[in-house]
Amino acid sequence: MNKNEYNFDKSDMDYLTGLPGRSGIYHYYSELNDDDVLHAMFVDIDNFKRINDTYGHSMGDRLLVSVSRHIMQFSLGYVFRIGGDEFVILIDGNEVSSKEEVEQMAVSIIEGMENIDFRKDILSLISLSIGIVFEQRACQNLDDILNRCDAAMYQSKYNGKNRYTIYNSDDKSFEISRNIENEMEKALENGEFRLYLQPKVNMITSEISGAEGLSRWIHPRDGLRMPAVYIQLFEKNGFISSLDMFIFEEVCRTKAAWKGRTYENLPVSVNMSRLHLYDRRFPERLCAIADKYDIPHNELEIEITESVFIKDTAELIAMTTKLQDCGFLVSIDDFGSGFSALNLLKDLPVDTVKLDKGFLHNSSNTSRGRQVIRSVIAMCRDLKIQVVTEGIETAEQVDFITKCSCQTAQGFYYSQPVPVGEFEVFAEKHKENIRRCYLFRLDPSSCVPVQNVNDGKGASTFSPGLGTYVSTVAEKAFLSEDGSLKAVYVGGIPSFTQGIFSDREAIMFPGGDVEQNVIEVSPNAIVNDSYTISFWCKPAELHNWSSIFYMKFETGFSSFSPIAWEGEADFRIRDSREVNGWYDSSVCVLSEDLWWHVVISYNAQTEMAVAFINGEPITRNGNVPANRFVKRIMLGGDVFQRSYIGALCEVLFYNEAKDYDFVKELHLDYINDPKYIGGKLKQLI
Ligand code: C2E
Ligand code: MG
Ligand code: MG
């Protein structure tokens, strides 16, 4: 049908532009023969809404008239105005058979915009996005043709507007992108976006140590839509800001609902797009949301992807530092995914680095790659930055990464990101069932008759007094200071003596045969592969190889004897999987009748055993293999030698390796206590 052949009915015409409107295009199309071929072009004014909102509707109308004339001027077919700022051109494929000609027409329309007769300030704000579909047969439904060129037009918008795109039926993204931008705002209002949580797990203890909040779009027609489908588009069109804030608020709301549960204080991280980092009020907005739900800021973590820092580095570092000043945790996400952020670590004191899953997957098959991962983890540890490895999928990866001294993983091996309800079931199972620390003072005031251990009232039946304490009850149990763990005296009647504090006593072990007059501590005191044990002891009579402390594992034991090789105390680790698996750290001479503060520490990640005396590190032993699964913990003796003779008090069990600074401080806390009467300590080194 020739360009000028069709006569439109008056009722089909758009009063504003004088072009045929939506009904016009259907009438025109219905007159075509089934085997007619046509090309369709969809033209949309970029930022038109903004012109209407800023300059008013009459200015918008005038702009529409000018643009429609401009399009008419270059058009090779019929032009229709089918919506507010949407124009469609249908071109007869028999008349214009060259695709190049159609493309040239699109170029002229786009480029000619700057010359139209209109206010230049307004013209500078707008442009045209065009979608083209070639060679459509008129036998099909017009809506299908319109949808295709409309989808191509949307693709132009995503790619930065002011351009044309040719529809390609093989490319699925055309359909989805078109729909997504139309549906996103409503979807947010309708609650189609959901918070999913993926646990971060301690690979050694299998405890849950945190979670990451990730968005999912539950689409009423398509079902679950993954972030890969929409995040990039939202970043281009700015909608990501609304989505990120929504997810952050969902995290706060969810955490508020956890009040009183064991995982109430679990830190949860959220991803924040770079767009926020340019918004000065961003930290304030986060604070307001967190405070609304009464969530401590240090339980909320902001993940910022590594690549963000390529541009505007200084500005972005200032913003992340501000987030930390507000008390939020900050992590670098996708570390190692491309851009090298090593330099960044120097300037940006982040709390956590998340190793990208691609980095793990690509690097862990070569020995060089593994060395790089190991070094990156070691460097982060030196900088006191936590490391989380993403994308852990197999037991081999768990093994490798824990050996590299990283203990936190996020990956399908433990759990996929799941809806909140499912996550809560996981958290309940993997909750923090390890108390970080147990203190047994071994003072009679923490002593209860065995039969009353569980009612918590037994303690009152004992009246502590100084000097040797003789009880009328034969068996005693000592509770940890928090009341949750028990230690039982195995032997006759325990006696007590002055402890290191003026108002406390210490247990006085009388010695005896193997396993006699000892204390059995609940093995639950140590459930981690790394541990630290601190105690005060005052040997009364020294016997070679008698232990003060003994811990039996499935695969060996560890012990501390105040006198062993050449009169020196010894921290011993036995690995029974090896014939020669004896690892002794000789400490120093511990003389009798003096109080000694002993700390022994084992780090399963670095395979390092360290002993401290009176706050000073005395010996370290490397390459000591980890023993797993504590079966028995004994104080005052072991299963080999006669028992220890002397005093013991203030026994602390930590489920992690402690460093020098910690031990030094712990020691100073004791001796600076006004009630400390442990006596002047000998300078050891
Ligand atoms: P991300 O922040 O690095 O999140 C981790 C992604 O790795 C998640 O993909 C998670 O499902 C996936 N993953 C975790 N463990 C494994 C594993 O063992 N193997 C494999 N192959 N993948 C694993 P998801 O949920 O599809 O999210 C993809 C990305 O989309 C996220 O990467 C994040 O950058 C972005 N994203 C998701 N939700 C949001 C959001 O609400 N806001 C913003 N700004 N970005 C989001
Ligand atoms: Mg992330
Ligand atoms: Mg990541």
Side-chain angles (χ1 to χ4, degrees):
M1 199 180 300
N2 194 284
K3 181 174 173 181
N4 298 314
E5 275 175 8
Y6 190 80
N7 284 321
F8 289 97
D9 192 89
K10 245 185 147 183
S11 63
D12 284 336
M13 304 308 279
D14 163 37
Y15 76 97
L16 182 69
T17 59
L19 293 174
R22 190 167 261 282
S23 59
I25 197 169
Y26 285 95
H27 284 147
Y28 167 81
Y29 190 77
S30 66
E31 299 289 317
L32 296 179
N33 297 318
D34 275 4
D35 52 359
D36 280 344
V37 172
L38 50 96
H39 314 300
M41 188 180 283
F42 205 114
V43 184
D44 186 279
I45 307 178
D46 301 322
N47 306 329
F48 180 70
K49 186 170 179 299
R50 199 160 139 204
I51 305 300
N52 256 343
D53 293 348
T54 319
Y55 298 91
H57 285 262
S58 68
M59 183 62 82
D61 284 353
R62 281 166 53 201
L63 180 65
L64 285 172
V65 172
S66 291
V67 171
S68 67
R69 287 197 186 133
H70 166 70
I71 296 172
M72 286 282 285
Q73 192 190 332
F74 290 96
S75 168
L76 302 168
Y78 281 100
V79 183
F80 304 85
R81 179 181 173 227
I82 64 158
D85 63 338
E86 296 170 334
F87 300 87
V88 169
I89 306 164
L90 295 183
I91 303 150
D92 185 335
N94 298 323
E95 198 183 309
V96 183
S97 56
S98 147
K99 291 181 185 172
E100 287 75 30
E101 218 178 321
V102 177
E103 283 190 57
Q104 187 48 51
M105 170 184 136
V107 171
S108 305
I109 292 176
I110 290 169
E111 292 182 353
M113 272 299 284
E114 59 190 43
N115 301 321
I116 69 174
D117 183 20
F118 210 77
R119 272 176 58 173
K120 294 297 169 212
D121 57 334
I122 293 180
L123 283 187
S124 72
L125 295 174
I126 59 162
S127 53
L128 300 180
S129 286
I130 294 182
I132 304 170
V133 60
F134 285 126
E135 293 171 347
Q136 300 291 303
R137 291 221 163 262
C139 55
Q140 56 187 319
N141 195 325
L142 173 63
D143 286 337
D144 291 339
I145 300 177
L146 292 182
N147 281 341
R148 286 180 202 129
C149 57
D150 176 57
M153 183 277 290
Y154 261 85
Q155 205 68 12
S156 294
K157 289 213 187 261
Y158 296 132
N159 292 332
K161 304 176 178 171
N162 195 29
R163 66 192 62 209
Y164 71 91
T165 305
I166 297 162
Y167 180 78
N168 170 1
S169 59
D170 296 335
D171 189 343
K172 266 269 177 231
S173 65
F174 281 89
E175 305 301 330
I176 293 176
S177 15
R178 174 67 180 105
N179 293 339
I180 281 179
E181 201 155 57
N182 275 343
E183 296 165 347
M184 61 191 188
E185 313 243 0
K186 272 266 168 301
L188 190 59
E189 283 168 28
N190 294 346
E192 289 171 27
F193 287 102
R194 303 277 165 77
L195 169 68
Y196 272 45
L197 292 169
Q198 187 179 26
K200 296 174 189 168
V201 178
N202 180 320
M203 287 179 278
I204 293 168
T205 63
S206 289
E207 267 182 290
I208 183 163
S209 59
E212 173 171 9
L214 294 153
S215 61
R216 293 288 183 269
W217 183 348
I218 314 294
H219 191 272
R221 188 191 60 234
D222 300 351
L224 180 70
R225 278 183 178 170
M226 298 297 282
V229 175
Y230 55 82
I231 292 287
Q232 243 185 331
L233 297 176
F234 290 176
E235 272 175 351
K236 279 193 190 135
N237 66 22
F239 186 67
I240 194 73
S241 305
S242 313
L243 179 65
D244 284 351
M245 282 313 190
F246 170 77
I247 291 292
F248 183 77
E249 181 150 2
E250 279 301 289
V251 163
C252 292
R253 195 199 313 276
T254 303
K255 273 181 68 62
W258 289 347
K259 284 251 147 75
R261 303 202 195 164
T262 41
Y263 44 88
E264 156 180 2
N265 302 110
L266 207 63
V268 181
S269 61
V270 290
N271 297 283
M272 284 291 169
S273 139
R274 67 178 286 134
L275 290 184
H276 304 282
L277 301 178
Y278 293 100
D279 170 8
R280 284 175 184 284
R281 295 193 49 232
F282 176 55
E284 249 172 79
R285 289 166 62 204
L286 293 184
C287 289
I289 297 173
D291 296 346
K292 178 171 151 197
Y293 293 93
D294 200 17
I295 307 298
H297 296 187
N298 64 1
E299 291 174 17
L300 295 164
E301 183 170 328
I302 312 300
E303 292 191 10
I304 303 167
T305 179
E306 175 190 77
S307 57
V308 156
F309 295 94
I310 299 177
K311 253 180 28 187
D312 311 322
T313 312
E315 201 179 332
L316 294 178
I317 288 179
M319 174 53 93
T320 33
T321 313
K322 213 162 144 196
L323 288 171
Q324 289 184 311
D325 292 344
C326 294
F328 297 113
L329 301 170
V330 175
S331 56
I332 301 185
D333 200 359
D334 307 330
F335 190 88
S337 59
F339 164 69
S340 159
L342 288 189
N343 227 359
L344 198 61
L345 294 181
K346 173 169 70 62
D347 304 316
L348 190 61
V350 288
D351 302 281
T352 305
V353 155
K354 298 188 74 185
L355 292 188
D356 187 54
K357 56 178 174 293
F359 185 52
L360 172 74
H361 294 175
N362 300 333
S363 309
S364 57
N365 357 338
T366 66
S367 70
R368 259 180 101 77
R370 283 195 292 274
Q371 189 53 41
V372 170
I373 296 182
R374 210 172 281 129
S375 309
V376 167
I377 293 174
M379 179 186 66
C380 290
R381 286 176 66 92
D382 274 355
L383 293 167
K384 301 231 178 335
I385 296 172
Q386 300 278 336
V387 184
V388 175
T389 306
E390 289 190 308
I392 294 270
E393 292 176 352
T394 64
E396 290 74 50
Q397 287 168 343
V398 170
D399 211 45
F400 166 60
I401 290 294
T402 41
K403 281 199 187 120
C404 292
S405 302
C406 169
Q407 59 180 16
T408 314
Q410 183 183 337
F412 296 169
Y413 182 71
Y414 293 101
S415 167
Q416 300 243 350
V418 289
V420 172
E422 243 174 88
F423 174 83
E424 289 170 353
V425 174
F426 184 96
E428 194 59 53
K429 265 199 225 147
H430 297 77
K431 69 190 168 200
E432 210 169 318
N433 48 12
I434 300 168
R435 277 171 202 278
R436 287 280 153 234
C437 165
Y438 296 96
L439 165 62
F440 291 88
R441 290 191 184 277
L442 306 185
D443 175 71
S445 62
S446 61
C447 211
V448 294
V450 159
Q451 57 271 33
N452 286 343
V453 159
N454 293 325
D455 71 12
K457 291 179 195 139
S460 61
T461 56
F462 292 90
S463 49
L466 295 182
T468 301
Y469 179 85
V470 180
S471 166
T472 50
V473 180
E475 273 195 308
K476 305 285 167 316
F478 298 85
L479 289 184
S480 60
E481 189 154 78
D482 64 357
S484 67
L485 275 194
K486 189 171 82 168
V488 177
Y489 186 81
V490 183
I493 297 163
S495 58
F496 297 91
T497 180
Q498 174 65 56
I500 58 160
F501 295 123
S502 57
D503 60 348
R504 287 195 185 283
E505 292 178 62
I507 187 151
M508 184 68 203
F509 288 106
D513 219 349
V514 179
E515 290 189 57
Q516 249 183 28
N517 300 324
V518 294
I519 290 176
E520 294 265 7
V521 180
S522 159
N524 292 338
I526 297 290
V527 289
N528 209 342
D529 291 353
S530 298
Y531 53 87
T532 303
I533 294 148
S534 160
F535 53 85
W536 284 79
C537 62
K538 186 178 176 185
E541 206 183 298
L542 290 168
H543 286 283
N544 250 4
W545 290 109
S546 285
S547 295
I548 291 186
F549 155 78
Y550 168 81
M551 184 151 69
K552 164 111 185 73
F553 296 87
E554 199 169 78
T555 49
F557 70 85
S558 63
S559 66
F560 180 85
S561 308
I563 179 164
W565 307 112
E566 295 173 355
E568 294 200 337
D570 185 67
F571 171 28
R572 166 169 274 195
I573 293 178
R574 164 72 174 140
D575 177 5
S576 50
R577 291 163 296 191
E578 306 166 41
V579 180
N580 297 319
W582 298 96
Y583 300 87
D584 287 300
S585 308
S586 237
V587 179
C588 59
V589 174
L590 298 190
S591 40
E592 293 149 87
D593 296 326
L594 278 181
W595 277 109
W596 298 97
H597 180 204
V598 178
V599 178
I600 53 172
S601 179
Y602 176 73
N603 186 329
Q605 280 97 61
T606 57
E607 303 197 320
M608 181 78 75
V610 189
F612 303 80
I613 301 290
N614 295 346
E616 299 295 340
I618 300 299
T619 173
R620 335 169 30 217
N621 205 353
N623 300 321
V624 183
N627 273 314
R628 298 237 155 98
F629 310 118
V630 178
K631 298 285 176 212
R632 222 172 149 185
I633 300 174
M634 203 184 286
L635 300 173
D638 61 31
V639 295
F640 311 106
Q641 300 288 336
R642 54 178 160 163
S643 300
Y644 161 72
I645 305 174
L648 182 69
C649 65
E650 305 293 327
V651 184
L652 273 163
F653 294 90
Y654 295 97
N655 276 282
E656 59 193 333
K658 294 292 191 186
D659 61 10
Y660 300 160
D661 295 346
F662 179 90
V663 174
K664 184 84 202 159
E665 210 165 297
L666 175 69
H667 182 71
L668 290 176
D669 280 352
Y670 281 119
I671 60 173
N672 292 332
D673 190 304
K675 290 185 174 142
Y676 175 78
I677 52 163
K680 198 166 155 29
L681 293 163
K682 249 195 0 209
Q683 197 63 40
L684 286 161
I685 49 172

